[in-house]
Amino acid sequence: MPPEAAPPSPAAAKKPAKKKAAAPAKKAVPLEAKLARLGLRTDMDLVLHLPMRYEDETQVVTIQEACLHGGETSQVEGIVTKNEIAYKPRRQLLVHIDDGTGDLQLRFMNFYGSQVKQLAEGTRVRARGELKHGFFGAEMVHPHYKIVNAGAPLPTSLTPVYPAGEGLPQHVMRKAIADAMKRVDWTDTLPPRLLERLELDNFEPSVRLLHNPPPDVDTYTLLDRSHPAWTRMKFDELLAQQLSLKRAQKARRAKGSPPLSVIGELSAQFQQALPFKLTGAQQRVLDEIRADISQPFPMQRLLQGDVGAGKTVVAALAAAQAIDSGYQAALMAPTEILADQHFRKIAAWMEPLGVKVAWLTGSLTKKNKAAATQLVETGEARLVIGTHAIIQDTVQFANLGLVIVDEQHRFGVGQRLTLRNKGNENAVPHQLMMSATPIPRTLAMTYYADLEVSVIDELPPGRSPIVTRAIDQNRRDEVIERVHAAALEGRQVYWVCPLIEESEALQLQTATETHALLAEALPDLNVGLVHGKLKPAEKQAVMDAFAANDMQVLVATTVIEVGVDVPNASLMVIEHAERFGLSQLHQLRGRVGRGSAASVCLLLYQSPLGGVAKQRLMTMRETTDGFEIARRDLEIRGPGEFLGARQSGQAMLRFADLETDTWLVDRARDVASALLKDEKYLPVVEGHLERWLGGREEFLKV
Ligand code: ADP
Ligand code: MG
């Protein structure tokens, strides 16, 4: 049997003529080390390293038919009619095959000398790859190929393709996994009765089937992962995650927290002094929070509410309760602008009631910082508002009872954890996290199993809906006209500059240029500019002028993305909207529609639009509902980005899909609760966690 030719590795490509040259490099990094890089350390790790997909080599189509499905992967078989090394401009091997229905070029940029001989004219080749219609007709670039005899049988089962890494070709992965399968302990971690009740297959046959699908398997269910064998894997994975999270929750609950049960004078006065009445939804979630923080164990609650729903005041009322109960509260925000806005607003509410509020950010002078730190340490400041400067080592709290994290998704897990550890030795502060980027229910459930969620699902009264339009950027003049008209009517306008991820300098330059351009086009208006490189005081001056309506147009980078609250602004222009993600667009748009005036958001785009960008802009036009937007976002780009720092954990779900496997999440959750309730299941729990998480459980604990 002729050997299967693996595509040459880049290392080999440097010395195309000497196949042996690759050998010493291989020795340098032992197989175990290469596998370890993929997190594969134990035999069970390898066994649970399941194929990410399968290749269907069970069929051969004619070249003619393959040509009809250009762009798709197919397998063809033909006789080599031409074999030449061309220089156009790079040295490459061009091989033509013919099967009687048509001609196909196989192109190899990197190749061994032996391959040139192997693919001599007259040889029969089976090639598999993506067929493209190139300038010189149909071709496959770097196809997988095999030299075969006429009538050579096709494989009868699908070929597994494993997630692999450098120096780990598929055949090496296959062998390593097959070897590991011979050594592991296959005992099922779950009791037979449970499996029966859940209608789940046994562990061993499921794993074996996924590595080596038998010829009669329903291919479709294997590929879309709905096969019962996959279901078992997904369930096991989700169960491990739920068990781990719930155990962490239990451990946390075992710690004490100060019961913040006094709803006293401050709370009452504060609520009375508010210029508005809380909405029903605000009152409801406030009651939930009040009940939680009155308990002697830590609250861990996420307060979700769409942009503009009024989360700040709820958080401030929770802080008031902490203060009434004799404890301190801290509020941390991700940007200086936002922290500052919170500080002004909340201090204006609270200081007249006799509460000292401290302000703490990285940009304070040494002296001011020391003074603020002192206020926090002595307990004179009952409330501390700031950026992540709050969590620095030098800051010691007198008696921290409640931690509030605004726009929590902007912080890493580590930062949130540090703030929580700022309590006294035996008392963990209660924790309230806020986010306008809604975490879809399934995600909240899987990644924050021990997180309670409160939702403000109602906007304050009198808001008018935001109309969103997508406009080609070559109509910019019309847009500038609209900006002018809005300003003349007394409204204010945000003009958001394009996101340039690769270069902050370029982003800054664009913002400066846009500002100059608009200032020139609108000479009768005051056009301001705010960006991340301004000094805090300068930033503040600009924001103040805008808030006071001394400035009609504010050109801004994404520094205004979260939290900024100027209700009179009712027109937002976002340039190069196609470069922004959905949640970012939604956050930006949330800066308008905060007052009673009808608001408009114009998404300028540069055509032609790619598919994903088009979907995003369409979503923005169709809905202003943050939850719907989050759901579609999850659909478009998958769960990774919602999780922030958490995605670095190896504990990310590998098999379960949160969109399609919600029902399994529910089950895993129930089973986890049941297993943890009864001591007698402890061995089951431990065994299952060991198999699925090994030493990686820590990742899930924060
Ligand atoms: P977000 O939930 O996006 O953080 P904010 O807390 O910034 O929203 O509130 C948005 C605006 O709505 C603020 O100007 C706030 O004072 C105002 N607001 C909050 N609650 C109410 C209410 N019940 N009635 C009227 N206005 C409210
Ligand atoms: Mg907010």
Side-chain angles (χ1 to χ4, degrees), residues 291-457:
D292 269 15
I293 61 178
S294 302
Q295 301 294 323
F297 48 82
M299 169 177 81
Q300 171 106 321
R301 190 173 274 279
L302 175 66
L303 173 54
Q304 292 197 332
D306 211 342
V307 280
K311 295 182 289 293
T312 314
V313 65
V314 173
L317 280 161
Q321 182 170 330
I323 297 165
D324 270 337
S325 308
Y327 285 86
Q328 290 173 300
L331 168 57
M332 181 166 79
T335 66
E336 184 125 4
I337 288 186
L338 184 52
D340 182 78
Q341 184 183 283
H342 281 324
F343 175 71
R344 284 156 181 258
K345 195 174 234 169
I346 295 173
W349 281 334
M350 289 209 178
E351 292 208 312
L353 303 173
V355 177
K356 179 84 198 144
V357 185
W359 165 242
L360 200 58
T361 69
S363 65
L364 287 180
T365 60
K366 233 182 180 160
K367 196 170 134 223
N368 285 341
K369 195 183 251 169
T373 311
Q374 179 73 10
L375 285 177
V376 177
E377 202 169 327
T378 57
E380 195 179 326
R382 308 310 296 151
L383 178 61
V384 187
I385 298 178
T387 57
H388 53 266
I390 291 183
I391 59 176
Q392 275 167 5
D393 290 344
T394 47
V395 184
Q396 300 291 334
F397 287 81
N399 59 352
L400 183 59
L402 172 68
V403 157
I404 302 163
V405 182
D406 195 15
E407 308 291 347
Q408 65 93 24
H409 59 286
R410 291 296 199 91
F411 291 100
V413 178
Q415 287 174 313
R416 298 202 300 254
L417 201 64
T418 316
L419 187 50
R420 207 177 62 205
N421 292 338
K422 289 274 173 188
N424 292 340
E425 277 145 48
N426 305 313
V428 186
H430 297 280
Q431 193 173 347
L432 178 64
M433 300 187 259
M434 305 199 282
S435 180
T437 301
I439 301 173
R441 195 185 76 94
T442 34
L443 267 185
M445 265 166 52
T446 38
Y447 287 94
Y448 302 94
D450 66 338
L451 192 70
E452 306 293 335
V453 180
S454 291
V455 182
I456 303 183
D457 52 4

Side-chain angles (χ1 to χ4, degrees), residues 553-632:
V553 182
L554 180 59
V555 177
T557 56
T558 48
V559 292
I560 58 141
E561 180 182 339
V562 289
V564 172
D565 185 36
V566 178
N568 190 49
S570 64
L571 174 57
M572 162 148 300
V573 180
I574 303 177
E575 278 206 67
H576 278 285
E578 76 279 358
R579 293 188 195 163
F580 293 87
L582 258 184
S583 73
Q584 215 172 8
L585 287 172
H586 180 61
Q587 279 277 4
L588 284 168
R589 180 170 62 180
R591 300 312 108 217
V592 296
R594 300 188 150 236
S596 52
S599 291
V600 176
C601 176
L602 303 178
L603 304 172
L604 295 190
Y605 64 85
Q606 175 158 29
S607 44
L609 280 175
V612 169
K614 204 177 269 172
Q615 272 183 49
R616 284 199 212 116
L617 298 191
M618 206 139 73
T619 300
M620 289 299 292
R621 267 172 36 207
E622 282 168 11
T623 178
T624 51
D625 175 347
F627 282 81
E628 175 61 17
I629 287 177
R631 199 189 59 71
R632 295 211 205 166

Side-chain angles (χ1 to χ4, degrees), residues 213-252:
D216 59 345
V217 73
D218 179 348
T219 313
Y220 184 75
T221 60
L222 209 55
L223 294 175
D224 85 344
R225 300 196 169 182
S226 62
H227 190 282
W230 273 122
T231 307
R232 172 65 205 264
M233 294 301 109
K234 293 177 184 179
F235 179 81
D236 274 20
E237 174 179 54
L238 288 166
L239 179 64
Q241 190 191 37
Q242 295 294 319
L243 283 172
S244 173
L245 287 165
K246 279 178 191 290
R247 286 228 295 209
Q249 173 184 32
K250 224 169 144 192
R252 190 170 305 145

